Amino acid sequence: MGAGDRRLSGRRTDVLVAGGGPAGWSAARACARRGLAVTLVDPHPGRRWRHTYGAWADEVPLTGPDALPGDVVATSGPGFAIARQEHTLAGSYAVLDTGALQEALCHPDVEVHRDRVVAVSDGAAVLDGGGRLAAPLVLDATGAAQVLSRSRRRVSPPAEQTAVGVVVPASVAARVTGGRLVFMDWRPLHGHPGWPTFLYAIPLGGDDWLLEETSLARRPGLPLPELTERLRRRLLACGLTADEIPLDDRTRVEHVRFAVDTPTHRSPAGVVPLGAAASLVHPATGYSLTHSLAIATRLADALATRRDHADRVDAAGRAVRPAAGHVVHAMRRRGLDVLLRMPPADVPEFFERFFSLPAAAQRGYLGAHDDVAASMRAMLSVFVHLSPRLRRHLIAGSLLGAGRGRSGEDGY
């Protein structure tokens, strides 16, 4: 990524972005495309992103003012979920080409500074290397660590989603998936007791497929060695040989661990959080990419029409998280509490009910980040379709609040 080696030229800065992940670069690109002077500060701006990103195909912005090129989508098509029975996903599922996405979000008009923002004071970003950069507006894309937060509600340990995946040839993956994109397969083929995990199996483009053993939110997250062993045993149970499961090859293995209950961020004056720092990660699914892309457009539009500093800071905050978005996120945090308190044996049954819902209800819960009415309808539909026992768990989780998980009962 050529911009990774560029230095500041001393020009004015309208917006300084702290952090060079997808949330930071999507905002930087959108602002630069509207003629704003943008500086991005990151300690490793040329580092390649390694995570695999999936999304609903209709949420990937291939049209509009900040359209991405079509090659960012490695593959898309129908997906399937298996709980007690098999279900077809509501909508086409897309797997992104991470390298193409990173290249597309890199904009030549963004000045890149190789350093780390550690604080903001008196209208300037304070750098780890000892320097200061004048910054009337700082977008904090430093992730769940919330480096620039002046105070935050502490959560220890955080609820985390964890996963371990292995990349295999399509012919090998087909013996596990039948050649189909599998969003969730809850069958306990790994043979391990305790908290259930599922197989996530997606084509990466070309001849590669990712087969990933995934744990939804636990506090703390299910350990990666446990997931590695579960994945190995699952794939052996599907008929693969040990030689076809290259879990000892670091170049073929993906490790995932991220917080899904990011604490409330309280920023210094002039700082607006983005991405995980703004708690934009979906508490139940862990998704945030396409939401960040949509917010980048909304944010840049708001900033481009305002010249006053105070107006820009206020507009940026409302663009990233409108009032309705706060309500929806609070509702979904309650959904996370329900999941954390749910008995392990009931989790596959919950998803059996969920994937039996009408498509609108499923998408209302998985998307609709700023639509209170759609989110409420989706949650009500989920509640109506649950068994009496699962309804009791849902009510208990909603009333009791943040669950500690059930790790003491899960056998790990």
Side-chain angles (χ1 to χ4, degrees):
M1 206 162 72
D5 294 323
R6 296 177 62 189
R7 299 295 183 180
L8 284 174
S9 63
R11 68 174 187 176
R12 88 179 198 285
T13 296
D14 295 317
V15 179
L16 186 145
V17 180
W25 264 111
S26 59
R29 171 181 180 260
C31 289
R33 287 165 65 94
R34 285 155 181 79
L36 296 167
V38 183
T39 297
L40 185 141
V41 181
D42 187 83
H44 306 287
R47 178 181 292 173
R48 306 303 299 184
W49 301 342
R50 296 192 62 191
H51 288 304
T52 301
Y53 297 103
W56 306 111
D58 58 7
E59 293 183 354
V60 181
L62 300 181
T63 61
D66 297 305
L68 296 172
D71 65 358
V72 303
V73 177
T75 184
S76 65
F80 298 86
I82 304 171
R84 303 297 187 197
Q85 301 180 53
E86 184 177 296
H87 304 267
T88 302
L89 291 185
S92 181
Y93 191 76
V95 180
L96 304 188
D97 181 319
T98 303
L101 174 68
Q102 186 173 10
E103 292 293 341
L105 291 180
C106 175
H107 194 279
D109 292 337
V110 175
E111 290 277 5
V112 177
H113 194 72
R114 188 185 303 275
D115 211 321
R116 187 189 308 272
V117 179
V118 295
V120 174
S121 176
D122 298 326
V126 181
L127 304 182
D128 189 41
R132 294 168 65 90
L133 295 174
L137 171 61
V138 175
L139 301 178
D140 178 5
T142 59
Q146 298 180 320
V147 173
L148 303 185
S149 178
R150 63 184 180 188
S151 63
R152 54 189 179 272
R153 178 176 56 84
R154 300 288 180 178
V155 177
S156 181
E160 298 173 312
Q161 184 174 132
T162 53
V164 173
V166 62
V167 177
V168 300
S171 59
V172 174
R175 288 160 45 205
V176 178
T177 69
R180 301 176 306 169
L181 188 156
V182 178
F183 187 67
M184 287 181 167
D185 182 351
W186 286 99
R187 291 177 298 172
L189 300 179
H190 50 69
H192 281 233
W195 182 249
T197 56
F198 62 89
L199 178 70
Y200 174 65
I202 56 172
L204 300 177
D207 190 50
D208 287 338
W209 275 64
L210 176 69
L211 306 179
E212 193 162 79
E213 193 75 24
T214 305
S215 169
L216 293 181
R218 290 284 80 197
R219 182 173 290 141
L222 201 64
L224 299 183
E226 164 81 358
L227 289 168
T228 299
E229 182 57 22
R230 288 192 185 201
L231 178 60
R232 188 190 310 276
R233 293 181 61 171
R234 179 188 293 275
L235 299 183
L236 290 173
C238 290
L240 301 191
T241 66
D243 290 341
E244 293 174 315
I245 311 171
L247 284 166
D248 297 325
D249 183 348
R250 295 179 59 184
T251 66
R252 308 291 287 179
V253 173
E254 177 176 273
H255 289 161
V256 177
R257 179 186 292 276
F258 58 86
V260 293
D261 62 346
T262 310
T264 302
H265 188 113
R266 296 185 62 192
S267 300
V271 177
V272 175
L274 292 175
S279 300
L280 294 182
V281 174
H282 195 303
T285 67
Y287 284 11
S288 66
L289 177 64
T290 54
H291 193 194
S292 290
L293 293 171
I295 283 173
T297 294
R298 190 165 67 201
L299 169 67
D301 285 342
L303 295 180
T305 59
R306 291 165 172 82
R307 294 292 179 263
D308 180 77
H309 165 63
D311 282 351
R312 276 186 170 172
V313 174
D314 180 64
R318 287 186 283 108
V320 172
R321 179 55 66 77
H326 283 284
V327 175
V328 171
H329 187 73
M331 294 165 59
R332 289 175 175 170
R333 282 295 298 269
R334 286 299 185 182
L336 172 63
D337 295 334
V338 170
L339 178 63
L340 289 170
R341 293 183 178 277
M342 189 173 293
D346 287 338
V347 174
E349 177 62 24
F350 175 87
F351 282 96
E352 175 64 30
R353 303 282 178 147
F354 179 83
F355 287 116
S356 299
L357 293 174
Q362 293 183 40
R363 293 297 300 274
Y365 185 73
L366 297 174
H369 304 287
D370 304 319
D371 190 331
V372 176
S375 296
M376 290 186 68
R377 287 194 298 270
M379 289 188 170
L380 179 60
S381 185
V382 170
F383 184 82
V384 168
H385 282 76
L386 295 180
S387 66
R389 183 181 69 259
L390 286 174
R391 288 180 190 175
R392 289 194 295 271
H393 291 313
L394 187 150
I395 293 171
S398 297
L399 293 177
L400 293 175
R404 296 288 301 174
R406 303 175 64 89
S407 59
E409 304 172 23
D410 285 355
Y412 64 84

